[in-house]
């Protein structure tokens, strides 16, 4: 006998677990199925984000940043430390504890919201009158029937053709977060968000890190001025980034990995390293979902085809997060999850793709929302720009971190904020003000006239807004 639900969510990452909670809040009987296993084989909901993505990467970035501070910056504050060393096992153990706290937190939230959790793989069995039959294969095999199905099965790391991940020498994000000793030499392929974050972690801990990037421009999606400033900082730190390379044969040897490549000048080179992290993007995941059984439509990339409301080609079947079009970001997945639950309830769930913030958690951090200067030029929009450097911000000086700037782009006629771009300390937190401002269609003048606490990094945001009208007060 199959168990009946109003809503069945397949996948318990940020898209899925949030959709399940919101649907339960709206009064539906909800099931959430997730197959992720912890090292003991138990449930570990939270998806890529919690287990091998956002959360563990930020835990390691924090640990390695403390190490970097102790080694290179404590002395500036008059703090003397000697023999600073890193216990990698302890650092990884702490990261695992943080992950587990988040897994447990989600299980608690399911209980609190009366979401029925099933640990196993969910797949479509067949369409039935008024819904779908979903098979769960896991610790217990179950058959569930749901009137509405939300798919949130996420994504997997993309491997280089012919070079599968062995997670010992050739690592995806998964293995990169479990390295058990500091590699002497580390190479990364791909200088996107994940490459830069992982490269930063291991460089801070003492690896000689080289990032090989196929594209000729560094961080092409980022505002050019901001990307240049970030590159300068990474160069200074010793993070070697080679642009415009063509990767050739990759051989694993007893000693490690040998990567043949041609650099931007056309020279044939090879790099011998202890470990290689491949961070060249992610592919939507529908493995095991048995989409054929119901005729669910996928695109040429393997993503589930959805409309602007996350509706698939099948009635009552929705899809959210990394498995559909749009940026592969946890908060985008969450927003879609909430919106779909609300649409199922007949409400007007809404996701504003123009105000989704982006963050790279390197040091300096990089964060932005809205359009870049190069996009505005390409779109033929007349704009005004204003920048303010952290060098002229009192709090940044007190912190000892004056790298970078805040940059505002506003419409030349209406002064509406079109984009805000930050490279510098706590950019990940500062960007929230810009997101709120853009969501409310604020002008640069609005931010310039708001009282900001002194001394705070957020004063740089206010000053950059003032700079749009060429009237900074502190620069
Ligand atoms: C190293 C790294 C760092 C990142 N850092 C950030 C960051 O700082 N900020 C940010 O916004 N994003 C970050 N991301 C991206 C973020 O992790 C993803 O965008 C987010 O996890 C997508 O959420 P999702 O719910 O769509 O899918 P996922 O988180 O991938 O969750 C999908 C879940 O579905 C389960 N599943 C799949 N198929 C089935 C099935 N058939 N049955 C049952 N369960 C199934 C999977 O096991 C998984 O638990 C990072 C990613 C990586 C790899």
């Amino acid at each position: 006998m199959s168990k009946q639900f109003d809503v069945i969510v397949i996948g318990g990452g940020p898209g899925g677990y949030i959709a399940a909670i919101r649907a339960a809040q709206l009064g539906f009987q909800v099931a959430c199925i997730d197959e992720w296993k912890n090292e003991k084989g138990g449930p570990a909901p939270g998806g890529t984000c919690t287990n091998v993505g956002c959360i563990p990467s930020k835990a390691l970035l924090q640990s390695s940043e403390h190490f970097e501070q102790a080694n290179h910056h404590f002395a500036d504050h008059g703090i003397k430390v000697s023999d600073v060393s890193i216990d990698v096992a302890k650092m990884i153990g702490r990261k695992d504890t943080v992950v587990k706290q988040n897994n447990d937190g989600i299980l608690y939230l399911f209980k609190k919201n009366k979401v029925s959790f099933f640990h196993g793989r969910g797949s479509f069995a067949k369409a039935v009158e008024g819904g779908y039959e979903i098979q769960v294969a896991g610790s217990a095999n179950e058959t569930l029937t749901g009137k509405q199905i939300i798919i949130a099965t996420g994504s997997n790391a993309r491997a280089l053709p012919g070079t599968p991940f062995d997670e010992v020498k050739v690592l995806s994000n998964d293995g990169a977060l479990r390295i058990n000793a500091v590699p002497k030499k580390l190479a990364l392929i791909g200088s996107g968000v994940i490459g830069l974050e992982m490269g930063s972690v291991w460089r801070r801990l003492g690896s000689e890190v080289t990032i090989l990037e196929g594209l000729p421009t560094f961080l092409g999606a980022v505002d050019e001025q901001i990307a240049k400033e970030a590159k300068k900082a990474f160069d200074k730190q010793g993070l070697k980034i080679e642009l415009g390379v063509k990767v050739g044969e990759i051989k694993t040897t007893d000693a490690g990995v040998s990567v043949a490549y041609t650099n931007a000048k056309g020279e044939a080179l090879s790099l011998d390293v202890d470990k290689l992290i491949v961070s060249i993007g992610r592919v939507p995941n529908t493995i095991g979902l048995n989409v054929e059984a119901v005729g669910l439509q996928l695109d040429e990339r393997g993503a589930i085809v959805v409309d602007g409301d996350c509706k698939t080609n099948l009635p009552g079947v929705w899809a959210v997060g990394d498995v559909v079009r749009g940026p592969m970001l946890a908060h985008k997945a969450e927003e879609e999850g909430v919106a779909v639950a609300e649409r199922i309830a007949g409400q007007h769930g809404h996701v504003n793709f123009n105000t989704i913030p982006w963050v790279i958690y390197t040091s300096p951090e990089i964060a932005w929302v809205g359009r870049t200067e190069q996009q505005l030029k390409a779109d033929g929009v007349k704009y005004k720009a204003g920048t303010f450097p952290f060098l002229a911000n009192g709090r940044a000086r007190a912190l000892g971190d004056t790298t970078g700037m805040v940059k505002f782009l506003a419409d030349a006629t209406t002064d509406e904020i079109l984009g805000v771009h930050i490279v510098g300390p706590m950019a990940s937190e500062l960007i929230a003000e810009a997101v709120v401002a853009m969501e409310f269609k604020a002008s640069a003048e609005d931010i310039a006239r708001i009282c900001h606490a002194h001394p705070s990094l957020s004063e740089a945001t206010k000053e950059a807004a003032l700079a749009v009208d060429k009237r900074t007060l502190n620069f």
Side-chain angles (χ1 to χ4, degrees):
M1 179 63 186
S2 98
K3 292 183 179 158
Q4 312 280 323
F5 292 93
D6 298 319
V7 179
I8 297 177
V9 183
I10 307 178
Y17 90 79
I18 288 291
I21 289 172
R22 184 70 188 119
Q25 284 175 347
L26 290 162
F28 294 115
Q29 291 291 321
V30 182
C32 183
I33 309 166
D34 189 83
E35 65 178 345
W36 207 293
K37 289 186 184 132
N38 60 25
E39 74 287 356
K40 290 184 185 138
T48 301
C49 167
T50 301
N51 293 294
V52 292
C54 322
I55 301 298
S57 60
K58 266 80 257 177
L60 296 189
L61 279 158
Q62 191 61 49
S63 300
S64 59
E65 181 60 21
H66 285 320
F67 187 68
E68 172 110 331
Q69 290 290 327
N71 271 318
H72 301 294
H73 303 292
F74 276 12
D76 299 341
H77 298 262
I79 304 167
K80 290 185 186 159
V81 285
S82 51
D83 297 330
V84 179
S85 62
I86 181 76
D87 179 343
V88 175
K90 173 102 184 170
M91 177 185 75
I92 298 287
R94 173 187 176 275
K95 179 263 300 178
D96 291 340
T97 305
V98 173
V99 168
K100 186 164 186 318
Q101 284 165 346
N102 282 273
N103 296 142
D104 292 347
I106 295 167
L107 289 170
Y108 160 78
L109 290 170
F110 282 157
K111 267 207 188 101
K112 181 181 161 206
N113 289 282
K114 301 192 170 51
V115 171
S116 303
F117 177 68
F118 295 87
H119 188 211
R121 173 168 287 185
S123 59
F124 282 99
K126 58 179 187 241
V128 292
E129 181 72 29
Y132 297 85
E133 200 174 276
I134 305 292
Q135 210 69 47
V136 185
S139 26
N141 294 325
E142 311 245 11
T143 305
L144 317 180
T145 306
K147 293 179 196 154
Q148 302 278 334
I149 311 295
I150 304 175
I151 304 168
T153 46
S155 61
N156 293 317
R158 183 193 302 280
L160 278 167
T163 311
F165 298 116
D166 61 19
E167 303 298 7
V168 180
K169 288 178 184 158
V170 181
L171 314 173
S172 70
N173 57 296
D174 188 358
L177 292 160
R178 287 191 281 115
I179 297 177
N180 56 14
V182 180
K184 212 163 157 322
K185 288 188 173 188
L186 174 70
L188 293 98
I189 300 180
S191 70
V193 180
I194 296 172
L196 286 173
E197 291 187 2
M198 290 297 96
S200 293
V201 166
W202 296 104
R203 182 207 55 78
R204 290 171 190 168
L205 298 178
S207 289
E208 195 183 305
V209 176
T210 307
I211 306 183
L212 302 176
E213 169 61 54
L215 294 173
T217 23
F218 179 61
L219 289 178
V222 174
D223 186 272
E224 249 170 52
Q225 193 180 2
I226 297 292
K228 256 195 202 138
E229 191 73 13
K231 178 79 168 39
K232 250 197 302 185
F234 297 143
D235 288 346
K236 208 163 132 199
Q237 291 164 7
L239 192 64
K240 204 167 156 210
I241 304 167
E242 286 214 43
L243 300 172
V245 309
K246 200 166 177 320
V247 173
E249 196 184 359
I250 295 175
K251 276 192 284 197
T252 48
T253 61
D254 285 348
V257 187
S258 177
V259 183
Y261 69 99
T262 311
N263 70 9
K265 292 183 204 147
E267 296 162 332
L269 300 167
S270 100
L271 191 61
D272 294 316
V273 292
D274 302 297
K275 294 196 188 275
L276 170 70
I277 299 173
V278 178
S279 49
I280 54 167
R282 300 184 58 83
V283 281
N285 169 40
T286 53
I287 297 168
L289 202 53
N290 197 20
V291 296
E292 305 78 21
V294 284
L296 184 67
Q297 196 188 342
L298 307 183
D299 67 15
E300 63 290 344
R301 288 184 318 124
I304 296 174
V305 177
V306 289
D307 66 7
D309 285 346
C310 293
K311 275 186 188 148
T312 69
N313 65 313
L314 302 173
V317 180
W318 313 71
V320 300
D322 280 11
V323 77
V324 303
R325 52 56 198 137
M328 287 187 171
L329 292 170
H331 42 284
K332 175 263 193 184
E334 292 182 15
E335 293 302 310
E336 286 182 335
V338 168
V340 163
E342 293 178 350
R343 284 172 197 138
I344 290 173
Q347 299 182 2
H348 298 283
H350 177 66
V351 182
N352 184 355
F353 276 84
N354 297 322
T355 54
I356 293 177
W358 292 76
V359 180
I360 307 176
Y361 295 80
T362 42
S363 179
E365 291 186 345
I366 305 166
W368 71 99
V369 58
R371 281 184 280 177
T372 60
E373 204 167 340
Q374 60 267 29
Q375 278 172 330
L376 292 175
K377 279 186 186 145
D379 294 348
V381 177
K382 292 219 161 40
Y383 64 90
K384 298 176 285 181
T387 58
F388 188 83
F390 284 108
L391 200 62
N393 174 272
R395 183 78 195 281
R397 284 197 208 113
L399 286 172
D401 189 355
T402 53
T403 319
M405 69 179 88
V406 180
K407 174 172 180 174
F408 264 65
L409 297 167
D411 187 284
T413 316
T414 65
D415 197 38
E416 182 181 340
I417 302 167
L418 301 174
V420 177
H421 306 270
I422 308 174
V423 53
M426 302 307 276
S428 56
E429 300 295 330
L430 293 174
I431 201 65
E433 179 180 8
V435 176
V436 174
M438 284 187 65
E439 193 65 51
F440 284 91
K441 297 207 169 292
S443 63
E445 174 85 12
D446 288 329
I447 298 294
R449 287 192 178 278
I450 290 171
C451 182
H452 288 65
H454 176 77
S456 70
L457 296 170
S458 70
E459 286 173 295
T461 307
K462 176 187 170 109
E463 290 274 7
L466 281 165
V468 169
D469 199 29
K470 299 197 172 29
R471 53 189 179 99
T472 52
L473 297 164
N474 284 287
F475 189 61

